[in-house]
Amino acid sequence: MTQKIIIDTDPGIDDAMAILFAEAHPDIELLALTTVFGNATIENGTNNALYLKQKFNCNYDVAQGADKPLTRPPVGPTVIVHGETGFGHLHAGPMDLDKVDARPAYQYIIDQLKAHPGEITLVAVGPLTNLSLALQAEPQITQWVKQVVIMGGAFGENGHRGNVTPFAEANIHDDPHAADSVFTADWPVIIIGLDVTEESFFSADYLEQLKDDAGEAGRFLHEVSRYYLEFYSDKLGLAGCHVHDPSAVAYVINPALFTLRNGPVRVVLDGCAEGMTLQKTDTRLHGHDEWEHAPKQQVAIQVNDTALLELYRHTLVEYGKS
């Protein structure tokens, strides 16, 4: 059965990996990319979304969203990881901005959920500002969405706690207030965090094989990943990269790849642990408990990485044949 999704994204390199994964899989109907600041500026991210749409003849809409966090000062684009414009050494030329939907991303999300109640999964792979703004403008969307799948956060499982600070993952750290509002809203959230995304690995050889076997998409992903792999090699000593954003799409395609844990989630909003995600997993009563009245959400704690990598490869190779 085909699943309708909207990807809320800050189009950098692993975002492109996720977007093409969704576009390529026959069980996914990619309705739109709603863009947000993060890996790139909002202008570059939106341009990258349009570039992918044109290059691969995609039918998805593009709606531009938030250019800064709700409350905290912006931390700026992640140039060290994704390059000056988000796609590493590849700099997409200026695209036709007339092809961007006139509505801000949060309003686009509201309108689509209202038009297709219970049918659309939101897949958020950047800071959660657009989703938070949509909740503020129309709280009823929690009853219209099918589910919300988020790449973000880290809960200490499998030894993974943070990637931009010792205890915070980048998407949550970029806008912790937005993340906390999304996690505590009354809708079904599945959090695919570093606990599982850092358990899967695109090796340099794996990406070389995609270049050879997956047609134009494989060649494109190999090209944009050069900068990404330079970062992983220079800063982390790894010959490849973790499977961050594509893991969220993989969950939508096959949830059985992941083991989930249930419990309310909150975000640290300031101080040295700003952006840290914490899940309460027991039923103990406390005198002071900021988790007690929050809805229980699902956090991924294990992944079948071998099957995920095979799913990704098979999907892109078949897409390349078409």
Side-chain angles (χ1 to χ4, degrees):
M1 180 178 174
T2 303
Q3 301 191 66
K4 294 181 173 68
I5 72 169
I6 293 171
I7 299 183
D8 191 69
T9 173
D10 52 340
I13 295 165
D14 60 329
D15 301 73
M17 294 173 172
I19 291 162
L20 289 180
F21 189 19
E23 179 68 21
H25 200 279
D27 293 345
I28 298 293
E29 181 183 354
L30 179 55
L31 299 177
L33 303 183
T34 52
T35 62
V36 67
F37 72 94
N39 293 329
T41 64
I42 191 62
E43 294 81 12
N44 284 331
T46 302
N47 197 71
N48 289 344
L50 291 169
Y51 175 81
L52 288 176
K53 179 176 181 175
Q54 176 179 290
K55 182 174 180 63
F56 293 98
N57 194 28
C58 304
N59 292 320
Y60 60 71
D61 296 334
V62 176
Q64 182 166 295
D67 63 352
K68 61 181 183 299
L70 296 178
T71 301
R72 68 155 299 159
V75 299
T78 318
V79 174
I80 190 174
V81 182
H82 295 274
E84 288 292 336
T85 61
F87 278 171
H89 298 298
L90 187 155
H91 300 286
M95 306 304 295
D96 183 1
L97 295 180
D98 288 340
K99 295 184 178 179
V100 176
D101 194 279
R103 291 164 289 185
Y106 78 86
Q107 188 62 53
Y108 180 93
I109 290 169
I110 292 169
D111 292 346
Q112 289 297 318
L113 294 179
K114 187 174 183 179
H116 305 279
E119 296 182 22
I120 297 175
T121 292
L122 298 178
V123 181
V125 295
L128 298 177
T129 317
N130 290 334
L131 272 62
S132 185
L133 291 171
L135 284 167
Q136 291 177 34
E138 180 49 88
Q140 188 70 14
I141 62 171
T142 61
Q143 307 305 307
W144 298 334
V145 75
K146 180 178 180 180
Q147 61 182 351
V148 184
V149 180
I150 292 166
M151 189 279 122
F155 296 84
E157 294 297 313
N158 308 307
H160 306 300
R161 291 182 171 81
N163 60 0
V164 292
T165 81
F167 296 101
E169 180 275 330
N171 290 338
I172 308 304
H173 185 261
D174 272 359
D175 197 342
H177 296 83
D180 193 61
S181 73
V182 169
F183 294 157
T184 57
D186 185 23
W187 54 7
V189 173
I190 298 93
I191 303 171
I192 308 294
L194 302 185
D195 314 85
V196 289
T197 68
E198 291 191 346
E199 290 294 291
S200 297
F201 194 70
F202 285 156
S203 69
D205 289 343
Y206 180 98
L207 293 169
E208 286 285 344
Q209 281 299 116
L210 276 185
K211 180 186 71 170
D212 294 338
D213 300 338
E216 184 59 30
R219 290 188 288 273
F220 170 78
L221 291 175
H222 182 269
E223 180 181 2
V224 296
S225 69
R226 298 306 88 196
Y227 190 99
Y228 205 42
L229 266 60
E230 289 167 14
F231 166 80
Y232 270 86
S233 176
D234 294 345
K235 302 300 181 183
L236 303 178
L238 298 173
C241 61
H242 294 128
V243 187
H244 292 306
D245 293 352
S247 292
V249 175
Y251 176 84
V252 178
I253 296 168
N254 184 6
L257 293 172
F258 299 87
T259 300
L260 305 180
R261 184 179 66 195
N262 194 42
V265 175
R266 299 301 307 269
V267 181
V268 178
L269 300 181
D270 54 29
C272 63
E274 183 177 31
M276 184 179 186
T277 49
L278 296 164
Q279 184 183 41
K280 182 181 179 182
T281 58
D282 61 51
T283 58
R284 179 179 172 181
L285 298 177
H286 298 78
H288 305 279
D289 191 342
E290 296 294 331
W291 286 257
E292 182 179 4
H293 299 295
K296 292 180 179 179
Q297 309 293 12
Q298 304 287 328
V299 170
I301 57 172
Q302 292 180 1
V303 60
N304 183 339
D305 61 309
T306 301
L308 189 156
L309 293 176
E310 179 53 34
L311 172 63
Y312 191 89
R313 173 177 164 76
H314 176 77
T315 301
L316 268 293
V317 169
E318 290 301 307
Y319 181 62
K321 292 177 181 177
S322 64

